[in-house]
Every structure is written in C-alpha cells, then in structure tokens.
Amino acid sequence: MRDDDLSVLRLIRSRRVGPATFHRLIAEHGSASEALRALPEIAAAAGIDDYSTCPEGVAAAELSAGRRAGARLIRCDSPHYPPALRQIEGAPPVLWLRGDPTWLARDVVAVIGARNASSLGLRMARGMAAGLGEQGLVVAAGLARGIDTAAHNAALPTGTIAVMAGGVDVIYPAENAVLAAQIAEKGALISEQPPGTEPAARHFPTRNRIVSGLSRAVVVIEAAHRSGTLITAKNALDQGREVMAVPGHPMDARAAGCNALIRDGALLVRGAADVAEALAQAAQADEGAQPLLPPVVAAPVTRRLQGTGGPVAAPSTRDRGGPVQLEGRILARLSPSPTDENDLIRDLGIPVAVANAAIVALELEGRVTRVPGGRIALC
C-alpha cells in the first residue's frame, strides 16, 4: 500500500468496510486513497446514494487517541505486523499496540480456556504457560478471567501477548488492570478496535480470530461444550493452526469441550513438552511437504470505469433488473449460518467477478457479512 496512516484508517473505519472488503478494495484499486475515492461510486452502483466514507477528522481523532494512550498503530503492510496473522483470511488491516512489537514476530502459542476454571485448570494453565516460555515460545490469550489470566501471569517473565476485545486502553475485566499494565511493560497488548472502544459482545468473536491467527497452535484447557473458547478453536482449524487440548474428567462440564475436541481429532497434550514436540514434528513435516499451488486471486469486486483502454467494467444492468435479481438469488441461498463463498458462486453458476460485485453491494447495504474462513452469512 502507498498510503499514510490517515487514509488506511479512513478506509477500514468507513461504513460497511470490514477486513475482507478492505483487502479486496486494496487489491483492486492499489491503495487506500484510491479505494476511498472509488467507494461512493461503488455504493451508488449498489443503490446507496447517501454513502460517505469515514471523515478525516474521525480518523485523525483516533490517531490522537492512540498517542494519548501510549499506543502505536501497526498497519498490515508494516514490518512489525505479526507474520502469522498476515496469512489469515480477513486479517485485521490495523492493530493498536501497547508494548514491544518485537514480541509479535516470535513463535506464539495461544493458551485459552474457561473463565470459571477449576483449581486444577488454573494450575495446569500456569504450568503450561511457564513451560512454553521456557521452550522459547510466547503465550497469547485474551486477558479474560480464569485460564487466560493464569496463563498471562505465568508467562510474564518470558513474554505474553494479550488480545483485547475493546480498545487497547480499555481493560476488561477491570480487575486485570494491573496485569494489563505489566503486559504492556513486559509483553504486548493489541487490539484492532479504536482506542477508547468499550468491548461489546460482537467484538469477542473477532478478537478470538486474532488470538488464533497470531499463533502456531492453540491449547485449550477447560472449556464447556458451547463456549467462546471453542469458537477460537474452530477459528484455529479454519486458519490451518494446530489445535491441542488437555483432557478432563467426563463428569466435569468444564472438560466437555476439551474432550470433544480430542474426540474429533485435536491433539491430546499433558504439558508444554507435548506442545513443543508436536510443533517440532509439524515443522519437520512442513519442510518435507511439496510446495503448494499458488493461490487463486479473487477477481476484482468492481471496476470503476468502462472505456477504451481502461479497466473493463463488470456487467452492470441494475436499471434492467439484473443485479437486483442476482442479489435476490444470493440472499435466497444464504442464512444466518455462514455459507462457503466458493460454494455459493458455484451454485449460482455465474462468473466470479459478477458474483463478487453483487456480494460487495449487499455487504455495503448491510444485508450480508463476511466471516472468517471465506464464508458469508445474512446479517
């Protein structure tokens, strides 16, 4: 990208522009400033006449708030951006950081689990985190009560990263304020939300994808059958990360999630040595693997102009009802449960460029949303 921080922030903070759309717009238009110029026209083509991008003043205020919080902005094109996180689909375009960015370049393992952890679970988390630190690994978690807090505390001497659901300066839960200050001094606090943002329910699933995306592996210690911890484990699988779990007693509801993960193929681990051994074996397997085919680059979501020698426009017959009918077909095939985008386009039987243009139009209208793993759902 050939942009300043202000342009990048304006693009990602613009209405209906999430991480996936941000990266698509950058790929198509070459820079955030060009994408900002194109957005009103894209929105108009989607039938949104009153669309406006994020004002410069709003982005400038966020930069000022970050400076007041003692945080620094790390863009996805920065050498300080976590290399593992950059690989995931829908990687956060920006991160706010308090602490030392060099921790983000280290090998990271997430240690996560129940908020209402048992004494044994907390003991296991402390031992696991301390042992991983001794192996030269950085421990990541979400600063939540229970397992996360125990893991962060135990990893303070060797390095830990806390991923915040709200702003990097808004500590949740408040009881972890001292721990957060220690992490900012000895490790790193990061968040994709603007400084000053109070955490809301919708922020936690997106926070969880960063926890797993940062990491080579995710270790689960105590998790109920339906819990946010398992969402993080699912994210890890979608991102191609190793998922490991500590088993528990079948009669303990806090162990149900871990036991289910192990039943479904997660690696059973008893301590940090098991984790380190599994990572070493995975690294050896990766070295011996055949190189992957180059990724298929998605077709542009939209083309701005149609003319001699210029970019060719994606077919647009909105005034003849074409896109309206296509959008209706897309909506009819979607539900609140995420659907794989490639499967959807295949079912529609239309060119990728045409489908992408319609999907982005629906996204700007707030009727569909992209979720990690290349999936789409109704809002």
Side-chain angles (χ1 to χ4, degrees):
M1 292 186 290
R2 306 180 302 277
D3 292 293
D4 56 16
D5 291 345
L6 194 68
S7 296
V8 172
L9 270 183
R10 286 185 63 206
L11 181 58
I12 187 55
R13 303 306 184 211
S14 289
R15 183 161 53 104
R16 305 299 181 193
V17 176
T21 301
F22 176 96
H23 293 299
R24 286 173 180 263
L25 289 168
I26 293 294
E28 179 179 353
H29 298 284
S31 68
S33 55
E34 288 298 317
L36 285 166
R37 278 190 277 271
L39 259 179
E41 186 175 340
I42 296 171
I48 305 172
D49 297 327
D50 60 345
Y51 187 87
S52 58
T53 57
C54 174
E56 287 190 14
V58 172
E62 180 174 340
L63 289 172
S64 297
R67 287 192 290 269
R68 288 195 300 272
R72 62 189 297 178
L73 185 72
I74 298 180
R75 293 163 27 184
C76 57
D77 60 345
S78 166
H80 293 304
Y81 194 89
L85 187 62
R86 186 181 283 119
Q87 298 170 3
I88 73 169
E89 184 170 356
V94 298
L95 295 171
W96 282 103
L97 175 139
R98 290 172 57 203
D100 186 349
T102 59
W103 292 111
L104 305 181
R106 300 274 296 276
D107 284 340
V108 179
V109 172
V111 178
I112 58 174
R115 288 175 170 82
N116 62 333
S118 68
S119 295
L120 281 176
L122 295 174
R123 179 180 173 186
M124 171 59 74
R126 288 190 288 267
M128 178 71 72
L132 291 172
E134 291 170 0
Q135 298 279 350
L137 297 163
V138 176
V139 172
L143 202 68
R145 295 183 179 94
I147 297 298
D148 287 30
T149 295
H152 284 308
N153 270 309
L156 276 173
T158 53
T160 185
I161 300 169
V163 185
M164 317 289 285
V168 75
D169 56 338
V170 179
I171 309 305
Y172 180 85
E175 65 204 50
N176 276 344
V178 172
L179 174 59
Q182 293 173 322
I183 295 173
E185 181 180 350
K186 300 179 180 180
L189 298 171
I190 62 172
S191 173
E192 67 177 325
Q193 303 300 329
T197 301
E198 292 291 335
R202 69 181 184 277
H203 295 143
F204 290 91
T206 57
R207 182 275 307 271
N208 292 346
R209 91 188 192 288
I210 299 177
V211 173
S212 55
L214 280 171
S215 307
R216 291 183 59 192
V218 171
V219 179
V220 183
I221 302 174
E222 292 192 343
H225 186 61
R226 296 182 183 276
S227 65
T229 300
L230 296 190
I231 294 174
T232 308
K234 176 65 166 58
N235 287 337
L237 290 172
D238 290 340
Q239 295 162 351
R241 306 301 191 246
E242 299 286 340
V243 176
M244 309 176 189
V246 176
H249 195 285
M251 298 298 291
D252 187 348
R254 288 171 292 201
C258 291
N259 292 340
L261 287 172
I262 294 167
R263 179 200 62 197
D264 295 338
L267 180 66
L268 185 156
V269 291
R270 301 159 297 175
D274 288 350
V275 176
E277 181 181 356
L279 291 177
Q281 292 175 352
Q284 291 175 356
D286 288 343
E287 289 175 2
Q290 294 295 322
L292 296 175
L293 293 174
V296 176
V297 178
V301 291
T302 180
R303 303 273 172 87
R304 291 190 297 156
L305 298 174
Q306 186 174 15
T308 304
V312 178
S316 177
T317 55
R318 170 171 290 276
D319 51 351
R320 297 199 299 272
V324 173
Q325 292 178 356
L326 176 55
E327 291 169 9
R329 291 173 59 199
I330 291 172
L331 294 172
R333 284 169 167 78
L334 295 177
S335 73
S337 298
T339 298
D340 185 85
E341 183 175 354
N342 291 331
D343 291 344
L344 172 65
I345 295 172
R346 187 162 48 246
D347 291 344
L348 291 168
I350 58 175
V352 173
V354 178
N356 278 334
I359 291 169
V360 167
L362 290 169
E363 194 173 12
L364 289 172
E365 292 170 4
R367 302 175 75 183
V368 303
T369 184
R370 297 181 188 273
V371 297
R375 296 172 294 164
I376 305 172
L378 293 177
C379 291

